[in-house]
Amino acid sequence: MARANTSYTCTECGAVHSKWSGQCDACGAWNSITEETPLSAAAGTQSLGASRGRTITLTDLSAREAPLPRTQSGLAELDRVLGGGLVPASAILVGGDPGIGKSTLLLQAAAHFAARGLKTFYISGEEAAAQVRMRADRLGLSDAPVQLAAETVLRDILTTLDAERPDLVIVDSIQTMWSDSVGSAPGSVSQVRAAAHELTAFAKRRGSAVILVGHVTKDGQIAGPRVVEHMVDTVLYFEGERGHQFRILRAVKNRFGPADEIGVFEMTGRGLSEVANPSALFLSDRGTPAPGSAVFAGIEGTRPVLVEIQALVAPTPQSQPRRSVVGWDGGRLAMILAVLEARCGIPFTGLDVYLNVAGGLKIGAPAADLAVAAALLSAREDTALPAECVVFGEISLSGALRPVGQAENRLKEAAKLGFSSAIAPAGGKPGGESGLKVTRMTDLTAFVGEIFGAG
Ligand code: TYD
Ligand code: MG
Protein backbone atom coordinates (compact mmCIF):
# COMPACT_ATOMS: atom_id res chain seq x y z
CA MET A 1 0.00 0.00 0.00
CA ALA A 2 2.99 2.26 0.33
CA ARG A 3 2.95 2.63 -3.43
CA ALA A 4 -0.62 3.92 -3.57
CA ASN A 5 0.60 7.49 -4.00
CA THR A 6 2.94 6.71 -6.84
CA SER A 7 1.83 7.72 -10.29
CA TYR A 8 3.36 7.10 -13.68
CA THR A 9 3.89 10.21 -15.73
CA CYS A 10 4.93 10.57 -19.35
CA THR A 11 8.01 12.77 -19.62
CA GLU A 12 6.98 13.91 -23.10
CA CYS A 13 3.40 15.09 -22.61
CA GLY A 14 2.85 14.85 -18.85
CA ALA A 15 -0.06 12.40 -19.09
CA VAL A 16 -0.58 10.44 -15.87
CA HIS A 17 -1.06 6.66 -16.02
CA SER A 18 -2.04 4.25 -13.29
CA LYS A 19 0.67 1.77 -14.23
CA TRP A 20 3.90 1.70 -16.13
CA SER A 21 3.88 0.76 -19.78
CA GLY A 22 6.32 0.94 -22.64
CA GLN A 23 4.38 3.46 -24.69
CA CYS A 24 2.35 6.48 -23.65
CA ASP A 25 -1.25 6.16 -24.91
CA ALA A 26 -1.66 9.92 -24.87
CA CYS A 27 1.19 11.01 -27.14
CA GLY A 28 2.55 7.73 -28.47
CA ALA A 29 6.10 8.30 -27.20
CA TRP A 30 8.09 5.16 -26.36
CA ASN A 31 9.83 4.51 -23.10
CA SER A 32 8.89 7.90 -21.73
CA ILE A 33 6.85 6.88 -18.67
CA THR A 34 8.55 7.31 -15.31
CA GLU A 35 7.49 6.73 -11.76
CA GLU A 36 6.75 9.91 -9.82
CA THR A 37 5.74 10.70 -6.27
CA PRO A 38 3.13 13.46 -6.24
CA LEU A 39 4.01 16.94 -4.98
CA SER A 40 1.83 16.87 -1.87
CA ALA A 41 -0.14 13.97 -0.55
CA ALA A 42 -2.27 16.02 1.81
CA ALA A 43 -5.52 14.40 0.81
CA GLY A 44 -8.70 15.35 2.60
CA THR A 45 -7.80 18.97 3.37
CA GLN A 46 -10.57 21.21 2.19
CA SER A 47 -10.28 24.85 1.18
CA LEU A 48 -13.45 25.77 3.05
CA GLY A 49 -12.55 24.31 6.42
CA ALA A 50 -11.77 25.93 9.71
CA SER A 51 -9.49 28.54 8.16
CA ARG A 52 -11.20 30.47 5.42
CA GLY A 53 -9.42 32.46 2.72
CA ARG A 54 -10.04 36.12 2.00
CA THR A 55 -12.67 37.16 -0.51
CA ILE A 56 -11.31 38.08 -3.89
CA THR A 57 -12.23 41.26 -5.80
CA LEU A 58 -14.13 40.80 -9.03
CA THR A 59 -14.31 43.35 -11.83
CA ASP A 60 -16.38 43.52 -15.01
CA LEU A 61 -15.16 42.91 -18.51
CA SER A 62 -15.63 46.52 -19.55
CA ALA A 63 -12.88 47.81 -17.25
CA ARG A 64 -10.38 49.72 -19.40
CA GLU A 65 -6.84 48.41 -19.36
CA ALA A 66 -3.89 50.48 -20.57
CA PRO A 67 -2.19 48.92 -23.62
CA LEU A 68 0.59 46.49 -22.69
CA PRO A 69 3.87 48.33 -22.25
CA ARG A 70 5.95 46.27 -24.63
CA THR A 71 9.69 46.53 -25.00
CA GLN A 72 11.15 45.91 -28.40
CA SER A 73 14.52 44.23 -28.74
CA GLY A 74 15.29 45.74 -32.11
CA LEU A 75 15.52 42.24 -33.57
CA ALA A 76 12.43 42.62 -35.75
CA GLU A 77 12.04 38.88 -36.35
CA LEU A 78 11.98 38.18 -32.61
CA ASP A 79 9.73 41.10 -31.76
CA ARG A 80 7.14 40.06 -34.30
CA VAL A 81 7.01 36.49 -33.00
CA LEU A 82 6.56 37.85 -29.48
CA GLY A 83 3.52 39.74 -30.76
CA GLY A 84 5.19 43.16 -30.98
CA GLY A 85 7.73 43.06 -28.18
CA LEU A 86 8.35 41.71 -24.70
CA VAL A 87 5.49 42.05 -22.22
CA PRO A 88 6.35 42.54 -18.53
CA ALA A 89 5.13 39.88 -16.07
CA SER A 90 4.99 37.27 -18.78
CA ALA A 91 6.48 33.80 -18.98
CA ILE A 92 7.84 32.59 -22.30
CA LEU A 93 9.00 29.10 -23.19
CA VAL A 94 11.51 28.67 -26.00
CA GLY A 95 11.72 25.01 -27.02
CA GLY A 96 13.87 23.30 -29.60
CA ASP A 97 16.23 20.45 -30.35
CA PRO A 98 19.60 20.49 -28.61
CA GLY A 99 22.17 22.40 -30.63
CA ILE A 100 19.65 24.25 -32.79
CA GLY A 101 20.76 27.64 -31.41
CA LYS A 102 18.49 28.48 -28.47
CA SER A 103 21.29 29.69 -26.22
CA THR A 104 22.72 31.74 -29.07
CA LEU A 105 19.35 33.34 -29.83
CA LEU A 106 18.63 34.15 -26.21
CA LEU A 107 22.07 35.56 -25.49
CA GLN A 108 21.61 37.87 -28.48
CA ALA A 109 18.09 38.73 -27.31
CA ALA A 110 19.40 39.40 -23.79
CA ALA A 111 22.04 41.78 -25.15
CA HIS A 112 19.45 43.61 -27.26
CA PHE A 113 16.96 43.98 -24.43
CA ALA A 114 19.70 45.07 -22.04
CA ALA A 115 20.80 47.71 -24.53
CA ARG A 116 17.21 49.01 -24.51
CA GLY A 117 17.47 49.60 -20.79
CA LEU A 118 16.00 46.41 -19.32
CA LYS A 119 17.83 44.98 -16.33
CA THR A 120 18.62 41.58 -17.79
CA PHE A 121 19.83 38.39 -16.05
CA TYR A 122 21.02 35.32 -17.91
CA ILE A 123 21.04 32.23 -15.71
CA SER A 124 22.79 29.29 -17.26
CA GLY A 125 22.31 25.88 -15.75
CA GLU A 126 24.08 24.12 -18.56
CA GLU A 127 27.23 26.03 -19.27
CA ALA A 128 29.83 27.57 -17.01
CA ALA A 129 29.96 31.36 -16.95
CA ALA A 130 33.22 31.23 -18.89
CA GLN A 131 31.56 29.29 -21.70
CA VAL A 132 28.74 31.81 -21.95
CA ARG A 133 31.30 34.61 -21.95
CA MET A 134 33.19 32.90 -24.75
CA ARG A 135 30.01 32.72 -26.80
CA ALA A 136 29.26 36.38 -26.05
CA ASP A 137 32.74 37.19 -27.25
CA ARG A 138 32.19 35.28 -30.47
CA LEU A 139 28.90 37.11 -30.98
CA GLY A 140 30.58 40.46 -30.36
CA LEU A 141 28.41 41.07 -27.30
CA SER A 142 31.02 41.18 -24.54
CA ASP A 143 30.14 44.76 -23.67
CA ALA A 144 26.41 44.18 -23.32
CA PRO A 145 25.14 45.05 -19.83
CA VAL A 146 23.80 41.53 -19.16
CA GLN A 147 24.27 40.02 -15.71
CA LEU A 148 25.39 36.42 -15.87
CA ALA A 149 25.15 33.52 -13.43
CA ALA A 150 25.79 29.80 -13.72
CA GLU A 151 23.43 28.23 -11.20
CA THR A 152 20.91 25.42 -10.92
CA VAL A 153 19.58 25.69 -7.36
CA LEU A 154 16.15 27.23 -7.74
CA ARG A 155 15.94 28.49 -4.17
CA ASP A 156 19.14 30.53 -4.56
CA ILE A 157 18.06 31.82 -7.95
CA LEU A 158 14.66 32.96 -6.71
CA THR A 159 16.14 34.58 -3.62
CA THR A 160 18.52 36.55 -5.83
CA LEU A 161 15.79 37.50 -8.29
CA ASP A 162 13.49 38.63 -5.50
CA ALA A 163 16.18 40.91 -4.13
CA GLU A 164 17.44 42.24 -7.46
CA ARG A 165 14.11 42.62 -9.31
CA PRO A 166 15.37 42.30 -12.89
CA ASP A 167 13.10 43.21 -15.81
CA LEU A 168 14.06 40.13 -17.81
CA VAL A 169 15.36 36.76 -16.66
CA ILE A 170 16.52 34.06 -19.06
CA VAL A 171 16.76 30.57 -17.60
CA ASP A 172 18.77 28.19 -19.79
CA SER A 173 17.49 25.53 -19.41
CA ILE A 174 14.45 24.64 -17.31
CA GLN A 175 15.52 20.98 -17.31
CA THR A 176 18.67 21.74 -15.33
CA MET A 177 16.88 23.63 -12.55
CA TRP A 178 16.67 21.85 -9.22
CA SER A 179 14.08 22.57 -6.57
CA ASP A 180 14.82 21.10 -3.14
CA SER A 181 11.12 20.85 -2.34
CA VAL A 182 10.72 18.05 -4.88
CA GLY A 183 12.30 14.67 -4.22
CA SER A 184 13.01 13.56 -7.76
CA ALA A 185 16.08 14.17 -9.90
CA PRO A 186 16.60 17.34 -12.01
CA GLY A 187 14.97 16.95 -15.39
CA SER A 188 12.11 14.78 -14.13
CA VAL A 189 8.56 15.86 -14.83
CA SER A 190 7.92 16.99 -11.24
CA GLN A 191 11.17 18.98 -11.06
CA VAL A 192 10.59 20.69 -14.39
CA ARG A 193 7.01 21.50 -13.47
CA ALA A 194 7.91 22.79 -10.03
CA ALA A 195 10.70 24.98 -11.40
CA ALA A 196 8.51 26.34 -14.21
CA HIS A 197 5.69 26.97 -11.75
CA GLU A 198 7.91 28.88 -9.32
CA LEU A 199 9.57 30.95 -12.03
CA THR A 200 6.22 31.77 -13.66
CA ALA A 201 4.81 32.75 -10.27
CA PHE A 202 7.86 34.99 -9.78
CA ALA A 203 7.19 36.66 -13.14
CA LYS A 204 3.59 37.41 -12.19
CA ARG A 205 4.46 38.54 -8.67
CA ARG A 206 7.33 40.85 -9.52
CA GLY A 207 6.38 41.98 -13.01
CA SER A 208 9.52 40.54 -14.63
CA ALA A 209 9.50 38.80 -17.97
CA VAL A 210 10.87 35.27 -17.66
CA ILE A 211 12.13 33.27 -20.63
CA LEU A 212 12.57 29.53 -20.07
CA VAL A 213 14.60 27.40 -22.45
CA GLY A 214 13.42 23.82 -22.90
CA HIS A 215 15.13 21.08 -24.85
CA VAL A 216 13.00 18.82 -26.94
CA THR A 217 14.01 15.36 -25.81
CA LYS A 218 13.87 12.19 -27.79
CA ASP A 219 14.83 9.52 -25.29
CA GLY A 220 12.46 10.27 -22.40
CA GLN A 221 15.29 10.53 -19.84
CA ILE A 222 14.36 14.13 -19.08
CA ALA A 223 11.02 15.88 -19.36
CA GLY A 224 10.34 17.74 -22.57
CA PRO A 225 9.10 21.33 -22.86
CA ARG A 226 5.56 20.15 -23.51
CA VAL A 227 4.97 19.50 -19.82
CA VAL A 228 5.21 23.23 -19.09
CA GLU A 229 3.45 24.60 -22.17
CA HIS A 230 0.20 25.18 -20.31
CA MET A 231 1.87 27.15 -17.52
CA VAL A 232 3.44 29.87 -19.62
CA ASP A 233 1.91 32.73 -21.61
CA THR A 234 3.86 32.22 -24.79
CA VAL A 235 5.34 29.12 -26.36
CA LEU A 236 7.94 29.54 -29.09
CA TYR A 237 9.69 26.73 -30.89
CA PHE A 238 13.03 27.20 -32.54
CA GLU A 239 13.27 24.80 -35.45
CA GLY A 240 15.30 24.11 -38.53
CA GLU A 241 17.28 21.38 -40.19
CA ARG A 242 20.75 20.90 -38.75
CA GLY A 243 22.26 20.84 -42.24
CA HIS A 244 20.63 24.14 -43.21
CA GLN A 245 21.74 27.44 -41.80
CA PHE A 246 18.14 28.71 -41.60
CA ARG A 247 16.30 28.70 -38.29
CA ILE A 248 12.66 29.44 -37.76
CA LEU A 249 11.24 30.77 -34.52
CA ARG A 250 7.57 29.84 -34.46
CA ALA A 251 4.92 30.97 -31.98
CA VAL A 252 2.59 28.07 -31.20
CA LYS A 253 0.82 29.80 -28.33
CA ASN A 254 0.77 33.46 -27.46
CA ARG A 255 -1.51 35.17 -24.96
CA PHE A 256 -0.19 38.55 -26.13
CA GLY A 257 -0.15 38.22 -29.89
CA PRO A 258 -1.02 36.08 -32.88
CA ALA A 259 0.00 32.45 -32.75
CA ASP A 260 1.56 30.84 -35.84
CA GLU A 261 3.78 33.84 -36.46
CA ILE A 262 7.30 33.00 -37.62
CA GLY A 263 10.63 34.75 -37.44
CA VAL A 264 13.40 33.65 -39.78
CA PHE A 265 17.07 33.65 -38.84
CA GLU A 266 20.25 32.47 -40.42
CA MET A 267 23.02 30.84 -38.36
CA THR A 268 26.30 32.43 -39.27
CA GLY A 269 29.79 32.28 -37.82
CA ARG A 270 28.86 35.30 -35.71
CA GLY A 271 25.55 34.10 -34.36
CA LEU A 272 22.05 34.44 -35.73
CA SER A 273 21.26 37.14 -38.22
CA GLU A 274 17.76 38.16 -39.19
CA VAL A 275 16.31 37.26 -42.55
CA ALA A 276 13.96 40.07 -43.44
CA ASN A 277 12.93 38.63 -46.79
CA PRO A 278 12.36 34.90 -46.26
CA SER A 279 10.83 34.33 -49.69
CA ALA A 280 14.15 34.98 -51.39
CA LEU A 281 15.66 32.39 -49.09
CA PHE A 282 13.15 29.61 -49.54
CA LEU A 283 13.23 29.86 -53.29
CA SER A 284 16.24 28.06 -54.62
CA ASP A 285 18.05 29.70 -57.55
CA ARG A 286 15.40 30.57 -60.08
CA GLY A 287 17.03 29.67 -63.34
CA THR A 288 15.24 27.76 -66.07
CA PRO A 289 12.23 25.98 -64.59
CA ALA A 290 12.90 22.31 -63.83
CA PRO A 291 10.37 19.47 -63.80
CA GLY A 292 9.12 18.62 -60.33
CA SER A 293 9.34 22.12 -58.92
CA ALA A 294 6.42 24.39 -58.04
CA VAL A 295 6.43 27.69 -56.17
CA PHE A 296 3.83 27.91 -53.43
CA ALA A 297 2.61 31.34 -52.38
CA GLY A 298 2.04 30.76 -48.69
CA ILE A 299 1.23 32.77 -45.60
CA GLU A 300 3.19 32.20 -42.42
CA GLY A 301 1.63 34.04 -39.52
CA THR A 302 0.91 37.51 -40.81
CA ARG A 303 3.47 37.44 -43.59
CA PRO A 304 3.37 36.06 -47.12
CA VAL A 305 6.23 33.68 -47.90
CA LEU A 306 7.02 32.03 -51.21
CA VAL A 307 8.42 28.51 -50.97
CA GLU A 308 9.61 26.08 -53.56
CA ILE A 309 8.07 22.62 -53.41
CA GLN A 310 10.15 19.90 -55.03
CA ALA A 311 8.98 16.45 -56.06
CA LEU A 312 10.73 13.45 -57.53
CA VAL A 313 8.81 10.54 -58.98
CA ALA A 314 10.72 7.44 -60.07
CA PRO A 315 9.79 3.84 -60.98
CA THR A 316 10.52 1.37 -58.21
CA PRO A 317 11.27 -2.36 -58.26
CA GLN A 318 9.74 -2.66 -54.77
CA SER A 319 6.18 -3.87 -54.32
CA GLN A 320 5.68 -1.12 -51.70
CA PRO A 321 6.68 2.17 -53.34
CA ARG A 322 8.31 4.80 -51.10
CA ARG A 323 6.49 7.91 -49.97
CA SER A 324 9.05 10.23 -48.44
CA VAL A 325 8.17 13.74 -47.26
CA VAL A 326 10.31 16.51 -45.77
CA GLY A 327 8.62 19.65 -44.49
CA TRP A 328 5.05 18.59 -45.15
CA ASP A 329 2.50 16.15 -43.78
CA GLY A 330 2.80 12.56 -45.03
CA GLY A 331 -0.91 11.90 -44.57
CA ARG A 332 -1.78 14.92 -46.66
CA LEU A 333 0.55 13.68 -49.43
CA ALA A 334 -1.24 10.32 -49.44
CA MET A 335 -4.53 12.19 -49.79
CA ILE A 336 -3.33 14.25 -52.76
CA LEU A 337 -2.02 11.11 -54.47
CA ALA A 338 -5.37 9.41 -53.89
CA VAL A 339 -7.30 12.37 -55.31
CA LEU A 340 -5.04 12.51 -58.37
CA GLU A 341 -5.66 8.83 -58.98
CA ALA A 342 -9.40 8.73 -58.26
CA ARG A 343 -10.50 12.06 -59.80
CA CYS A 344 -7.97 12.63 -62.58
CA GLY A 345 -7.06 9.02 -63.42
CA ILE A 346 -3.34 9.60 -62.81
CA PRO A 347 -1.97 6.66 -60.81
CA PHE A 348 1.27 6.68 -58.84
CA THR A 349 1.37 2.91 -58.32
CA GLY A 350 4.79 1.44 -58.90
CA LEU A 351 6.37 4.87 -58.48
CA ASP A 352 8.47 6.13 -55.58
CA VAL A 353 7.44 9.65 -54.53
CA TYR A 354 9.76 12.08 -52.76
CA LEU A 355 8.47 15.48 -51.68
CA ASN A 356 10.60 18.24 -50.20
CA VAL A 357 9.92 21.78 -49.05
CA ALA A 358 13.05 23.74 -49.95
CA GLY A 359 15.02 25.65 -47.35
CA GLY A 360 14.01 23.50 -44.37
CA LEU A 361 10.66 25.19 -43.81
CA LYS A 362 7.78 23.12 -42.45
CA ILE A 363 4.42 23.99 -43.91
CA GLY A 364 1.13 22.76 -42.54
CA ALA A 365 -1.49 24.77 -44.36
CA PRO A 366 -3.83 22.97 -46.78
CA ALA A 367 -3.35 25.98 -49.07
CA ALA A 368 -0.22 24.20 -50.31
CA ASP A 369 -2.24 21.26 -51.73
CA LEU A 370 -2.37 22.56 -55.27
CA ALA A 371 1.32 23.42 -55.33
CA VAL A 372 2.13 19.91 -54.12
CA ALA A 373 -0.12 18.38 -56.78
CA ALA A 374 1.54 20.61 -59.39
CA ALA A 375 5.03 19.52 -58.32
CA LEU A 376 4.00 15.85 -58.32
CA LEU A 377 2.42 16.05 -61.77
CA SER A 378 5.29 18.03 -63.16
CA ALA A 379 7.73 15.39 -61.88
CA ARG A 380 5.62 12.51 -63.15
CA GLU A 381 5.14 14.00 -66.61
CA ASP A 382 8.71 15.30 -66.70
CA THR A 383 7.33 18.66 -67.80
CA ALA A 384 8.30 21.92 -66.13
CA LEU A 385 5.56 24.25 -64.96
CA PRO A 386 5.32 27.66 -66.67
CA ALA A 387 8.21 29.90 -65.66
CA GLU A 388 7.64 32.68 -63.11
CA CYS A 389 4.37 31.16 -61.93
CA VAL A 390 3.14 30.70 -58.36
CA VAL A 391 0.48 28.22 -57.24
CA PHE A 392 -1.85 28.03 -54.25
CA GLY A 393 -5.19 26.47 -53.33
CA GLU A 394 -6.72 23.73 -51.27
CA ILE A 395 -7.83 20.45 -52.85
CA SER A 396 -10.93 18.73 -51.52
CA LEU A 397 -11.51 14.98 -51.72
CA SER A 398 -13.89 15.52 -54.62
CA GLY A 399 -11.05 17.07 -56.61
CA ALA A 400 -12.58 20.55 -56.38
CA LEU A 401 -10.27 23.48 -55.67
CA ARG A 402 -11.19 25.58 -52.69
CA PRO A 403 -10.23 29.24 -52.29
CA VAL A 404 -7.84 30.09 -49.47
CA GLY A 405 -7.45 33.20 -47.33
CA GLN A 406 -5.32 36.26 -48.13
CA ALA A 407 -5.10 35.58 -51.87
CA GLU A 408 -4.35 39.25 -52.45
CA ASN A 409 -1.32 39.23 -50.12
CA ARG A 410 0.01 36.07 -51.74
CA LEU A 411 -0.24 37.60 -55.20
CA LYS A 412 1.35 40.87 -54.09
CA GLU A 413 4.34 39.04 -52.63
CA ALA A 414 4.73 37.05 -55.84
CA ALA A 415 4.60 40.23 -57.91
CA LYS A 416 7.18 41.83 -55.62
CA LEU A 417 9.57 38.92 -56.24
CA GLY A 418 9.24 39.15 -59.99
CA PHE A 419 6.69 36.43 -60.72
CA SER A 420 4.37 37.13 -63.61
CA SER A 421 1.53 34.62 -63.34
CA ALA A 422 -0.40 32.61 -60.79
CA ILE A 423 -2.67 29.59 -60.66
CA ALA A 424 -5.36 29.91 -58.02
CA PRO A 425 -8.77 28.44 -57.21
CA ALA A 426 -11.83 30.14 -58.66
CA GLY A 427 -14.00 32.03 -56.19
CA GLY A 428 -12.65 34.04 -53.33
CA LYS A 429 -11.73 37.67 -53.78
CA PRO A 430 -10.46 38.74 -57.20
CA GLY A 431 -6.79 39.66 -57.10
CA GLY A 432 -6.78 42.41 -59.65
CA GLU A 433 -4.27 44.88 -58.29
CA SER A 434 -1.21 42.66 -58.09
CA GLY A 435 -0.47 42.91 -61.82
CA LEU A 436 -0.11 39.13 -62.10
CA LYS A 437 -1.88 37.11 -64.76
CA VAL A 438 -4.06 34.91 -62.58
CA THR A 439 -5.53 31.69 -63.99
CA ARG A 440 -8.47 30.60 -61.87
CA MET A 441 -9.66 26.99 -61.86
CA THR A 442 -12.54 25.19 -60.25
CA ASP A 443 -11.16 21.67 -60.07
CA LEU A 444 -8.06 19.56 -60.34
CA THR A 445 -9.07 17.97 -63.67
CA ALA A 446 -9.22 21.41 -65.28
CA PHE A 447 -5.82 22.18 -63.81
CA VAL A 448 -4.31 18.98 -65.21
CA GLY A 449 -5.85 19.69 -68.62
CA GLU A 450 -4.61 23.26 -68.70
CA ILE A 451 -1.05 22.64 -67.57
CA PHE A 452 -0.30 19.16 -68.85
CA GLY A 453 -2.62 18.95 -71.81
CA ALA A 454 -5.45 16.56 -70.86
CA GLY A 455 -3.15 14.62 -68.44
P1 TYD B 1 23.45 26.70 -29.15
O1 TYD B 1 22.92 28.06 -29.05
O2 TYD B 1 24.44 26.26 -28.12
O3 TYD B 1 22.28 25.62 -29.21
P2 TYD B 1 21.25 25.17 -28.07
O4 TYD B 1 21.33 26.11 -26.95
O5 TYD B 1 19.92 25.17 -28.77
O6 TYD B 1 21.63 23.78 -27.69
O7 TYD B 1 24.05 26.60 -30.63
C1 TYD B 1 24.81 25.53 -30.96
C2 TYD B 1 25.22 25.52 -32.41
O8 TYD B 1 25.26 26.77 -33.04
C3 TYD B 1 26.60 24.95 -32.48
O9 TYD B 1 26.53 23.77 -33.28
C4 TYD B 1 27.42 25.99 -33.11
C5 TYD B 1 26.46 26.93 -33.76
N1 TYD B 1 26.91 28.32 -33.72
C6 TYD B 1 27.24 28.96 -34.89
O10 TYD B 1 27.18 28.39 -35.98
N2 TYD B 1 27.61 30.29 -34.85
C7 TYD B 1 27.70 30.97 -33.69
O11 TYD B 1 28.04 32.16 -33.70
C8 TYD B 1 27.37 30.28 -32.47
C9 TYD B 1 27.44 31.00 -31.16
C10 TYD B 1 26.97 28.97 -32.53
MG1 MG C 1 22.02 25.74 -25.00
Side-chain angles (χ1 to χ4, degrees):
M1 286 314 286
R3 302 179 66 82
N5 283 335
T6 314
S7 64
Y8 295 87
T9 314
C10 171
T11 51
E12 282 295 311
C13 68
V16 182
H17 304 268
S18 58
K19 59 179 176 45
W20 190 89
S21 67
Q23 188 185 22
C24 172
D25 314 334
C27 68
W30 284 97
N31 209 11
S32 63
I33 295 178
T34 55
E35 192 176 326
E36 298 261 340
T37 4
L39 272 180
S40 78
T45 35
Q46 283 191 347
S47 292
L48 264 187
S51 61
R52 288 188 172 245
R54 63 191 169 80
T55 40
I56 53 173
T57 328
L58 302 164
T59 58
D60 27 290
L61 288 174
S62 62
R64 282 271 160 262
E65 228 44 81
L68 293 165
R70 294 178 185 266
T71 310
Q72 260 142 26
S73 64
L75 289 168
E77 296 294 303
L78 174 67
D79 291 337
R80 198 185 41 251
V81 176
L82 287 172
L86 190 70
V87 179
S90 66
I92 299 159
L93 172 71
V94 178
D97 290 331
I100 202 75
K102 299 180 294 300
S103 304
T104 309
L105 174 73
L106 290 173
L107 191 58
Q108 287 181 266
H112 275 82
F113 281 119
R116 298 289 171 111
L118 294 192
K119 184 171 177 185
T120 306
F121 284 15
Y122 187 98
I123 314 239
S124 176
E126 286 187 352
E127 293 160 302
Q131 276 175 293
V132 182
R133 253 183 252 117
M134 251 163 62
R135 174 178 294 130
D137 206 35
R138 180 171 171 185
L139 300 174
L141 301 173
S142 315
D143 301 329
V146 177
Q147 296 293 300
L148 184 66
E151 185 55 73
T152 57
V153 180
L154 192 63
R155 190 177 294 277
D156 297 346
I157 293 172
L158 284 168
T159 308
T160 315
L161 295 183
D162 239 20
E164 297 274 346
R165 306 266 192 111
D167 300 305
L168 168 63
V169 185
I170 293 168
V171 177
D172 185 4
S173 67
I174 189 69
Q175 281 115 342
T176 53
M177 293 296 123
W178 180 72
S179 160
D180 52 15
S181 57
V182 180
S184 46
S188 64
V189 173
S190 11
Q191 279 286 358
V192 168
R193 275 203 186 136
H197 174 75
E198 290 210 47
L199 287 163
T200 314
F202 164 78
K204 303 291 165 196
R205 190 170 68 239
R206 290 298 192 209
S208 306
V210 172
I211 302 183
L212 309 174
V213 175
H215 292 293
V216 171
T217 59
K218 295 269 180 326
D219 54 5
Q221 290 299 305
I222 51 173
R226 283 177 61 189
V227 302
V228 298
E229 276 185 357
H230 63 282
M231 290 185 207
V232 295
D233 301 303
T234 302
V235 178
L236 311 179
Y237 276 93
F238 203 38
E239 46 193 47
E241 300 290 323
R242 279 287 189 92
H244 284 113
Q245 61 270 52
F246 314 121
R247 299 282 184 274
I248 290 152
L249 186 65
R250 187 184 295 275
V252 295
K253 161 181 170 180
N254 195 349
R255 290 193 182 137
F256 307 113
D260 267 344
E261 192 66 83
I262 65 164
V264 185
F265 297 88
E266 186 176 356
M267 183 62 97
T268 69
R270 301 206 52 194
L272 293 155
S273 63
E274 299 178 76
V275 176
N277 185 356
S279 296
L281 175 149
F282 296 126
L283 292 177
S284 57
D285 294 332
R286 311 260 338 126
T288 41
S293 151
V295 178
F296 166 52
I299 300 279
E300 288 291 335
T302 52
R303 189 165 51 165
V305 176
L306 300 193
V307 213
E308 185 186 333
I309 299 196
Q310 303 163 342
L312 177 68
V313 174
T316 178
Q318 252 84 33
S319 57
Q320 274 279 2
R322 278 182 80 105
R323 303 286 183 251
S324 166
V325 195
V326 179
W328 209 51
D329 177 33
R332 198 95 198 157
L333 172 66
M335 189 204 102
I336 305 274
L337 292 173
V339 173
L340 281 171
E341 174 151 11
R343 307 292 174 199
C344 311
I346 304 173
F348 283 80
T349 35
L351 296 170
D352 281 340
V353 174
Y354 302 87
L355 189 81
N356 178 34
V357 178
L361 187 70
K362 288 194 184 71
I363 44 182
D369 289 354
L370 189 56
V372 169
L376 290 171
L377 288 167
S378 159
R380 190 182 182 281
E381 306 296 315
D382 204 21
T383 316
L385 292 167
E388 313 303 338
C389 176
V390 297
V391 186
F392 60 89
E394 183 180 343
I395 298 176
S396 64
L397 286 179
S398 65
L401 299 184
R402 294 224 292 255
V404 293
Q406 304 201 42
E408 190 68 349
N409 284 344
R410 296 172 199 265
L411 294 172
K412 269 198 201 129
E413 175 80 359
K416 206 167 83 190
L417 282 149
F419 286 80
S420 56
S421 64
I423 299 171
K429 286 193 211 122
E433 294 136 52
S434 61
L436 255 62
K437 182 178 152 289
V438 185
T439 315
R440 296 192 174 268
M441 315 217 176
T442 50
D443 61 45
L444 201 53
T445 325
F447 171 77
V448 173
E450 165 94 17
I451 305 294
F452 302 99

